[in-house]
Amino acid sequence: MRAATATVLTLALAATAAVPATAAATSGKPSTDGLWRMDGYGTVLSLDGDTLQEFQRTSVSCLKGDTARRTAPGTYATPDGTTLTVRPGPSRDRATLGADTSVGHRTLQRIHELPADCTRPVPKDPRAAFDVFWHSFAENYPFFAAKGVDWQDVRDRYRPKVHQDTTREELFGIFSDMVRPLHDAHVAVQDGERVFAQVRPGTEPPSPELDSKVKKFITERDLKHAPYRQDFANGRITYADLPGRASGQGYLRISGFGGYAPDGSPYPAHLAELDRALDTILTSDRARRLNGLIIDLRINGGGSDALGIHIAERLTDTPYVAYTKRARNHPTDPDRHTRPEPIRVVPADGPRYTGPIAVLTGGSTVSAGETFTQALIDRPGGTIRVGRPTQGVFSDVMARNLPGGMTAWLPNEEFLNRSGRTYDGSGIPPHITEPVFTKEEFAKNRDSAFDRAVSVLRNDG
């Protein structure tokens, strides 16, 4: 599950005070110090000296969220190594916030006092937790209509079941039942080590066990006689020059957009490992002689959208828009959004592969695996998708703290194609449908999607 570290930092709490714009200008403090309301995301930020403090708001609540530590003017670090950057402008009372692991920016509007509900104690009884949970989804979740879920009806059915004596286990069960009909892999309820989450019916969530099984199968069947094969980035990336009838084609398997460096490493360390892999794979000689590249995303658990864009920049010599990103930003009108921000792919320096690509996808292609797939749709040079639809979850994931200690996870963004459509729910469809790692495929030692991709790239499929 991919989290937007600009609002999902999961850190220690720290109280801060407002600094008016005039005070910041005359005190020598950074011009971004003070209080800011984020456009969308139900968030207020307090920037005071060395601390960034998040406040998570709904129409009935304001709870302290995450914090980050300032490392340089306008720059903050989270405990997991993510770098947040706050840039002033275009006016004194406007700013933008970005995270190095994510794409896009959040617009900030200066405010001069903390909302009153952020200064009052929050009740921690079960009904208070229910109300914050329900409003967090009511005011941020974009897909109720598409999912056919009446969220007001859900409230009417479940709130009478919650009372002062409702146990924590009962409340967790109620929250889980409320979101179960969404079948959204970016929705979860967490209580310590206990988590409720699910994927779209008929699909299988990516897991280390599934990834290992598939990697072994592919290595023994598809890559058995490959003249060159190497793993990179902590085993998350595999590249091979293909043998036999696929000679002249390359195979690039990506099982996630993260985990490339040791646990706890900052984003630049993962980016450096990715660059080492790409520099080894896409040499000038290989980029010139390849007549086709298969990119296998069928088991991909997601991660950083920024890493996906970084790979896309090695696959084009022409700038283009990968997708446009927007967030829901009105508590009662789900059709109101932030200003759409185009996310661009700019050709990288050095060797690039610009020929035909076949992308393998399936229901276990999730989150950043899907945004990367979407980033290749309008890629110049020809890209065809083979397999099954992706999972259908694209947004960064918001964490909402609940009174009493539970956490709700939910999406609030849309990643739009050039027609203004989002693929949430249904996933990105393939051009060519083939089975993906079914029991029958394993039993008969078949990899139909891989074989079809080889044929398509040879122009005989």
Side-chain angles (χ1 to χ4, degrees):
M1 180 176 294
R2 172 169 44 101
T5 50
T7 56
V8 184
L9 314 178
T10 318
L11 319 175
L13 304 179
T16 54
V19 180
T22 53
T26 59
S27 66
K29 291 186 177 183
S31 61
T32 53
D33 265 24
L35 290 168
W36 301 89
R37 177 181 287 114
M38 194 177 294
D39 186 13
Y41 302 91
T43 297
V44 167
L45 296 178
S46 173
L47 279 60
D48 185 16
D50 290 337
T51 303
L52 179 153
Q53 173 69 57
E54 175 199 42
F55 293 86
Q56 302 172 356
R57 297 197 69 208
T58 72
S59 58
V60 299
S61 63
C62 180
L63 284 79
K64 284 182 179 178
D66 308 321
T67 63
R69 177 180 55 84
R70 190 173 69 152
T71 56
T75 303
Y76 299 83
T78 71
D80 69 357
T82 299
T83 296
L84 308 177
T85 302
V86 180
R87 300 186 187 280
S91 67
R92 183 181 66 180
D93 292 334
R94 300 289 296 274
T96 57
L97 181 145
D100 60 357
T101 57
S102 188
V103 297
H105 301 83
R106 316 248 173 120
T107 299
L108 305 178
Q109 176 74 44
R110 189 185 292 277
I111 58 177
H112 297 292
E113 61 181 11
L114 200 61
D117 56 356
C118 298
T119 65
R120 295 192 292 263
V122 178
K124 296 183 179 181
D125 62 278
R127 280 211 158 183
F130 180 98
D131 290 340
V132 174
F133 181 85
W134 186 86
H135 278 276
S136 294
F137 280 83
E139 297 175 18
N140 294 285
Y141 190 73
F143 308 121
F144 287 122
K147 303 279 187 176
V149 172
D150 183 337
W151 194 239
Q152 181 63 50
D153 178 67
V154 171
R155 183 187 188 277
D156 294 343
R157 284 189 290 119
Y158 283 97
R159 196 173 192 274
K161 299 181 180 183
V162 181
H163 47 79
Q164 289 295 118
D165 298 324
T166 299
T167 67
R168 195 178 187 98
E169 184 173 356
E170 290 170 339
L171 191 61
F172 179 87
I174 288 171
F175 290 160
S176 301
D177 289 342
M178 290 170 67
V179 298
R180 195 182 307 274
L182 298 175
H183 296 292
D184 190 323
H186 270 175
V187 168
V189 183
Q190 182 175 9
D191 183 15
E193 296 297 316
R194 180 168 50 184
V195 177
F196 171 82
Q198 60 183 351
V199 293
R200 193 180 76 232
T203 65
E204 184 175 1
S207 66
E209 296 75 21
L210 180 61
D211 183 56
S212 296
K213 177 183 179 180
V214 166
K215 185 174 182 179
K216 182 175 184 293
F217 176 79
I218 290 171
T219 300
E220 294 177 352
R221 183 197 183 275
D222 303 328
L223 310 181
K224 184 175 181 180
H225 300 294
Y228 172 84
R229 181 177 68 83
Q230 187 172 347
D231 288 338
F232 302 91
N234 202 27
R236 306 302 299 277
I237 295 173
T238 298
Y239 177 79
D241 290 325
L242 294 179
R245 69 186 185 93
S247 180
Q249 297 180 18
Y251 171 85
L252 178 63
R253 181 174 184 267
I254 306 171
S255 64
F257 292 92
Y260 298 163
D263 289 346
S265 298
Y267 174 78
H270 298 273
L271 183 62
E273 288 299 322
L274 176 59
D275 275 332
R276 274 191 277 274
L278 295 175
D279 289 343
T280 303
I281 295 166
L282 294 178
T283 61
S284 297
D285 175 66
R286 182 174 284 116
R288 182 176 58 253
R289 62 181 168 81
L290 282 181
N291 54 39
L293 178 64
I294 297 172
I295 300 180
D296 192 346
L297 306 174
R298 288 174 292 179
I299 310 298
N300 187 293
S304 166
D305 294 329
L307 291 176
I309 292 294
H310 194 73
I311 297 174
E313 291 173 342
R314 298 287 192 114
L315 302 174
T316 183
D317 56 6
T318 304
Y320 68 96
V321 174
Y323 40 74
T324 300
K325 184 175 178 179
R326 69 183 185 184
R328 180 178 166 182
N329 73 341
H330 193 276
T332 60
D333 186 352
D335 293 325
R336 289 176 58 175
H337 302 89
T338 59
R339 182 186 298 274
E341 180 178 5
I343 306 302
R344 293 180 168 85
V345 177
V346 179
D349 295 331
R352 300 182 298 272
Y353 172 75
T354 60
I357 289 176
V359 180
L360 308 183
T361 66
S364 299
T365 309
V366 179
S367 195
E370 301 183 80
T371 66
F372 176 63
T373 302
Q374 188 169 354
L376 299 181
I377 289 176
D378 292 325
R379 167 190 171 269
T383 301
I384 190 164
R385 299 182 302 277
V386 182
R388 295 288 182 175
T390 64
Q391 176 63 216
V393 291
F394 296 77
S395 173
D396 292 347
V397 182
M398 301 173 64
R400 300 281 94 172
N401 297 336
L402 304 178
M406 293 189 200
T407 305
W409 301 79
L410 67 152
N412 71 318
E413 300 170 335
E414 296 176 342
F415 283 57
L416 306 177
N417 63 16
R418 60 180 174 178
S419 301
R421 174 190 173 191
T422 173
Y423 297 104
D424 279 275
S426 62
I428 300 174
H431 295 104
I432 300 172
T433 299
E434 294 286 354
V436 172
F437 303 131
T438 62
K439 292 181 179 179
E440 184 180 15
E441 290 270 294
F442 282 126
K444 295 186 177 181
N445 196 37
R446 288 198 314 230
D447 192 350
S448 299
F450 175 89
D451 291 345
R452 188 64 179 272
V454 168
S455 296
V456 167
L457 292 176
R458 292 179 60 215
N459 294 317
D460 64 0

